[in-house]
Amino acid sequence: MKRFLTFAAVSLLFCLPSVALAEEVDPVKSWDNHFRLYAILVTAIWVLVTVLLIYFSLRYRRKKGQGDGASIHGNIFLEIVWTLVPFIIVVLLGVQTWAVFQEYRKVPKNAYELNVQGFMWGWNVTYPDGIKTTNELRVPVGTPVKVNLTSKDVLHAFYIPEYKVQEEAIPGRTTYFWFLPTKAGEYRAYCTEFCGAGHSLMLAEVHAMDKADFQAWVAKYKEAAAALSPVEKGKKLVDGLGCLGCHTITGEKSTGPTLKGIFGSSVVLSDGRKIIANEEYIEHSISEPKRDIVKGYSPIMPPYKLSDEDLHAITEYLKTLK
Ligand code: HEC
Ligand SMILES: [Cu+2]
């Protein structure tokens, strides 16, 4: 019993570095500890075997005039020792390997989640705020980062050496990995699955940024996204203001005339005038619909009080509906 307890205590000590002692789980540290344990054990065994080999070769070599030595048959004690010791070592390493593997697979709950898609030949990154980058991965220091990985075409693999993570990117399937950026800096991610002529160019920059820098980058990126082009903004307005409740953009008549192809078309008004739908006409049709009523329609469109900028954006969008 006492022996068993000693054994249990020693086993625990071996596993401690990666499992129990870690205040903050970081697979990189656990991996390093694991590797160190391997290195120490392997070196110790190598030194022991080599030293004994040299010593015995010299000490017990056959000298001139000596006959054959005594023939020795087995030694139960030695047999048990050299079976049990390697067995214990293998079990310990096995247990620790399993513990490290668990860390790699168990993503912390507060992880920042990114989507990465490999393609021939590059990496598309999508962030939670809808930010998109290509061949550029930005992550906040101190927050665990989970990457959902997939591929658009063929097999790729995503590898960041410094974070000791590597995962397969498989078309039609989503795999994942996570890591903890601990220090601000620039790293590089590689494709490690031979995927064609551009394989060696499939690199991505990994920017580990201090939290404040990262937030500033997100804010700046969002601002840029908010500055939509007039056409995009116009589309948003038309979709958002309910214009499509009375108008189509596909050519069919609805409660109101279709908005498809309206710009530059000639419109017959209810009082018989015929005019060309230019910017001014369209903007007036929205802000003062009662002024010019299209022939064959009832004057039911409500006036919209919009800024000049918004009116312009809608007009720009309507111009694209050809
Ligand atoms: C309640 C229904 C209704 C809504 C909502 C509505 N419209 Fe109209 N719209 C009409 C009708 C009916 C006409 C035709 C009679 C007229 O000229 O006022 C018209 C006419 C127009 C015309 C002139 C069409 C032509 O062929 O000359 C434009 C441009 C237009 N609407 C744009 C818009 C936009 C942009 C919105 C949203 C911001 C909008 N409408 C919302 C009913 C509506
Ligand atoms: Cu690749």
Side-chain angles (χ1 to χ4, degrees):
M1 191 62 202
K2 210 169 157 191
R3 280 211 188 128
F4 173 75
L5 283 178
T6 319
F7 170 69
V10 171
S11 326
L12 221 87
L13 270 176
F14 268 108
C15 302
L16 269 180
S18 68
V19 191
L21 279 185
E23 337 75 65
E24 195 178 37
V25 179
D26 181 0
V28 170
K29 283 191 195 133
S30 310
W31 180 276
D32 284 343
N33 284 333
H34 191 47
F35 178 78
R36 228 168 276 139
L37 179 61
Y38 257 91
I40 289 169
L41 283 171
V42 167
T43 310
I45 292 168
W46 180 80
V47 168
L48 182 74
V49 170
T50 308
V51 166
L52 285 179
L53 180 76
I54 293 171
Y55 173 74
F56 288 156
S57 309
L58 295 173
R59 176 79 178 72
Y60 297 110
R61 72 185 190 281
R62 185 169 169 175
K63 289 169 196 128
K64 254 191 189 148
Q66 251 181 354
D68 287 349
S71 159
I72 301 164
H73 286 279
N75 182 318
I76 296 284
F77 175 73
L78 276 179
E79 297 268 3
I80 289 174
V81 168
W82 69 47
T83 306
L84 212 59
V85 170
F87 176 76
I88 291 170
I89 290 174
V90 167
V91 168
L92 287 175
L93 290 177
V95 168
Q96 207 185 54
T97 303
W98 178 80
V100 174
F101 176 71
Q102 289 306 311
E103 282 190 18
Y104 269 99
R105 290 289 87 191
K106 234 167 111 190
V107 183
K109 285 207 177 61
N110 60 333
Y112 183 75
E113 213 164 320
L114 301 170
N115 295 312
V116 172
Q117 184 199 46
F119 63 91
M120 287 154 116
W121 286 279
W123 303 99
N124 283 326
V125 186
T126 316
Y127 299 78
D129 316 273
I131 297 174
K132 288 185 164 77
T133 59
T134 300
N135 296 336
E136 185 188 289
L137 199 82
R138 289 182 183 261
V139 292
V141 166
T143 307
V145 176
K146 181 188 182 194
V147 174
N148 298 310
L149 188 65
T150 189
S151 166
K152 197 174 175 180
D153 34 53
V154 299
L155 290 177
H156 301 280
F158 196 77
Y159 175 41
I160 313 174
E162 285 83 359
Y163 294 131
K164 297 183 164 65
V165 281
Q166 184 183 35
E167 190 54 72
E168 299 288 315
I170 303 165
R173 200 191 288 183
T174 304
T175 52
Y176 73 91
F177 62 87
W178 79 276
F179 58 91
L180 180 69
T182 47
K183 220 169 70 193
E186 321 253 297
Y187 307 94
R188 187 175 259 186
Y190 300 83
C191 178
T192 46
E193 185 86 57
F194 184 60
C195 56
H199 169 66
S200 63
L201 304 172
M202 247 183 106
L203 308 167
E205 282 168 30
V206 180
H207 300 262
M209 304 167 84
D210 286 325
K211 270 213 177 99
D213 291 346
F214 182 75
Q215 267 152 16
W217 175 73
V218 170
K220 210 176 121 200
Y221 207 102
K222 271 193 187 156
E223 218 171 82
L228 294 172
S229 72
V231 172
E232 290 164 323
K233 199 171 167 198
K235 180 175 177 2
K236 265 203 165 149
L237 286 166
V238 168
D239 289 345
L241 288 172
C243 317
L244 301 182
C246 297
H247 295 280
T248 72
I249 54 170
T250 48
E252 292 97 354
K253 283 182 183 178
S254 175
T255 314
T258 184
L259 297 177
K260 185 182 177 185
I262 175 171
F263 186 75
S265 68
S266 74
V267 181
V268 181
L269 300 176
S270 55
D271 58 8
R273 280 181 297 139
K274 216 173 158 185
I275 56 164
I276 297 292
N278 56 12
E279 275 107 331
E280 204 207 346
Y281 169 74
I282 289 177
E283 294 190 16
H284 273 127
S285 296
I286 299 166
S287 53
E288 300 173 64
K290 303 272 183 304
R291 213 172 84 167
D292 302 312
I293 306 297
V294 183
K295 194 175 177 189
Y297 291 92
S298 4
I300 55 159
M301 176 168 161
Y304 287 85
K305 281 204 177 69
L306 300 171
S307 68
D308 288 346
E309 206 197 325
D310 285 353
L311 281 174
H312 172 71
I314 291 177
T315 309
E316 288 306 304
Y317 171 57
L318 294 185
K319 282 183 189 174
T320 66
L321 301 175
K322 294 205 179 88

